[in-house]
DNA sequence: AACGCCCCTTGACCTGGGTCATGGCCGTGC
DNA sequence: GCACGGCCATGACCCAGGTCAAGGGGCGTT
């Protein structure tokens, strides 16, 4: 039973698009499913890499911790069919470069032993090609993340986040701590900024959801190098 | 003549380690050398990707520009045998994600057309494997960069830089603007921090070179979450 | 119902570091 | 020689955002 389910999952995972079913089935046979509760860790940064994971249900957050553990930065959140530790699996002296934990209960993942993955990928040119394309995409995302964190202020990042995740408003919002980890700050500041956006009439908050009111203005905040202070000044004249 | 030189270069490039000479020579034949003066651009961010470059001599700086161009962040500096745009070359709708410019005059690079590269890599499992390993390494570096920029203060980053690049002291230092771009800040702040380090007796500056005096203390600054203020306080008691 | 826990909100305060402007130094070219 | 341009240094000022602490609400558990 497990192999069929595993195979179905792999077949639909974006990273394996373009692969032959015949190439995937040996991999599927080596995999096994794991169930996780909210908050439970899939692995910790620094542990040797044993497996690569494909999310089957729920979601997994991958994050780095500052020295001392006072702050954390969420690198990405992966939902069904997405990979966790996909890149780490191909490093030679491989230890996980980040922590991974389930965000929901229950979360189910398919664990694929790294040797099995490497073997499958290195023996299957189409797979190798898919993996290379996947890596390139991830790298581009990471670069975007990097300079948004370095170049833009919190207001811009928050505005961008709201626009991106609130296609259908109202939309459930993560907790302030989760948002803070995502945007590289602390919960208090998120609280203030959201309050500020509300006062500017950009959003409405109600019971853990946001409704975006002024898409155009949010986009301006997100896109240009414009601080909320500027916006207030402009609104006031 | 060019093909031999190109082949020799490819053979020694770390990314192609483990590849057969036979697999590299068709690639070498498609390449051509370019000469650049200091400051001249190899490409600009946003241009469609035409080629991947291997540095033959001199060095190339790859950097991103903030919107508005007021600030820039150097992603990496590549010397001989290193790749520029190695990852961009494998993205599907590929535009360069960053700018690349020569740091020295003269700088010489080997340009390899992307189709030639893709073809060679996708047809040669050992090459594909090497490329995957290379990507994984780069990704790990980028992650390290990311959280040093997000989590640590400037003093830590500067201390880390000095330690890393001053194995043999005294060592030539880049200009303050170059350092600033590397560490994610502006030249004035570099000037102040270096002055502070000097006053603390950690380094000596003379005519564009640094000599590191107190390795242990610098390492403490770089490694722990310790501000220069703490150091001064401790030194003073 | 009452307790405890977690999260949110807000205020007060602090500080790293960005901005702007001035002046000095050095190297290069005329 | 002198003038110009780039780099560096430094002072004055400012502000986004981090820190710490206090208080309040929602909700699940006993």
């Amino acid at each position: 039973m497990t192999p069929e389910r595993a195979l179905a999952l792999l077949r639909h995972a974006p990273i394996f698009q373009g692969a032959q079913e015949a190439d995937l089935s040996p991999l599927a046979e080596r995999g096994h499913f794991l169930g996780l509760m909210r908050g439970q860790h899939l692995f910790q940064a620094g542990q040797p890499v044993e497996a690569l994971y494909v999310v089957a249900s729920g979601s997994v957050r991958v994050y780095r911790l500052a020295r001392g553990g006072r702050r954390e930065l969420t690198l990405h959140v992966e939902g069904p069919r997405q990979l966790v530790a996909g890149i780490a699996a191909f490093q030679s002296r491989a230890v996980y470069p980040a922590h991974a934990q389930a965000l929901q209960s229950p979360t189910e993942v398919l664990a694929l032993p790294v040797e099995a993955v490497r073997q499958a990928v290195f023996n299957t040119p189409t797979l190798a090609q898919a993996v290379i394309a996947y890596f390139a995409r991830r790298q581009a995302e990471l670069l975007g993340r990097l300079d948004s964190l370095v170049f833009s202020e919190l207001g811009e990042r928050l505005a961008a986040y709201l626009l991106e995740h609130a296609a259908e408003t109202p939309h459930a919002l993560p907790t302030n701590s989760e948002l803070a980890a995502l945007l590289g700050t602390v919960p208090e500041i998120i609280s203030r900024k959201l309050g500020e956006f509300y006062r500017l009439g950009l959003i409405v908050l109600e019971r853990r959801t946001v409704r975006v009111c002024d898409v155009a203005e949010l986009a301006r905040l997100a896109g240009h190098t414009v601080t909320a202070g500027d916006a207030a000044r402009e609104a006031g004249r």
Side-chain angles (χ1 to χ4, degrees), chain A:
Chain A
M1 161 78 219
T2 286
E4 287 80 25
R5 231 189 117 197
L7 186 55
L9 182 58
L10 291 187
R11 207 163 33 211
H12 292 113
I15 192 184
F16 294 130
Q17 286 319 311
Q20 308 294 325
E21 185 152 334
D23 299 326
L24 292 179
S25 60
L27 192 51
E29 278 166 23
R30 298 282 315 272
H32 60 277
F33 283 91
L34 294 176
L36 297 164
M37 292 285 111
R38 174 182 168 83
Q40 202 178 340
H41 277 82
L42 205 45
F43 51 78
Q44 306 264 353
Q47 292 178 347
V49 174
E50 290 162 6
L52 165 166
Y53 303 89
V54 185
V55 178
S57 68
S59 62
V60 173
R61 176 175 85 109
V62 178
Y63 65 99
R64 291 186 62 119
L65 225 53
R67 278 179 319 260
R70 302 184 50 76
R71 280 174 61 186
E72 41 187 64
L73 180 71
T74 297
L75 295 175
H76 31 254
V77 173
E78 302 295 357
R81 300 180 181 172
Q82 300 296 328
L83 239 57
V84 172
I87 298 188
F90 292 95
Q91 275 176 282
S92 34
R93 317 167 295 98
V95 296
Y96 294 110
H99 304 262
Q101 98 190 134
L103 268 188
Q104 300 167 22
S105 296
T107 284
E108 218 176 0
V109 300
L110 173 63
L112 302 168
V114 281
E115 328 83 58
V117 174
R118 290 197 189 130
Q119 194 185 339
V121 169
F122 292 151
N123 291 336
T124 321
T126 55
L127 268 189
Q129 189 167 342
V131 167
I132 288 176
Y134 171 79
F135 278 20
R137 230 179 306 131
R138 285 314 269 263
Q139 158 99 0
E141 286 172 26
L142 201 53
L143 273 184
R145 205 73 199 300
L146 203 168
D147 67 22
S148 97
L149 284 166
V150 172
F151 291 142
S152 22
E153 352 213 303
L154 185 58
E156 308 180 45
R157 278 176 274 152
L158 182 55
Y161 177 90
L162 288 173
L163 286 174
E164 192 174 335
H165 289 82
E168 12 56 87
T169 82
H171 187 273
L173 208 58
T175 69
N176 284 0
S177 332
E178 284 165 345
L179 270 180
L182 226 26
L183 302 181
T185 181
V186 295
E188 291 94 324
I189 306 292
I190 295 288
S191 178
R192 284 190 227 274
K193 276 286 174 209
L194 284 176
E196 186 182 328
F197 282 4
Y198 169 71
R199 255 167 275 127
L200 291 171
L202 307 182
I203 58 173
V204 175
L205 290 160
E206 45 203 13
R207 297 185 39 67
R208 212 60 17 121
T209 65
V210 240
R211 142 184 301 281
V212 171
C213 298
D214 191 339
V215 175
E217 183 59 18
L218 267 187
R220 234 178 45 79
L221 283 182
H224 305 32
T225 305
V226 170
T227 63
D230 291 341
R233 223 167 297 139
E234 288 192 9
R237 73 177 171 208

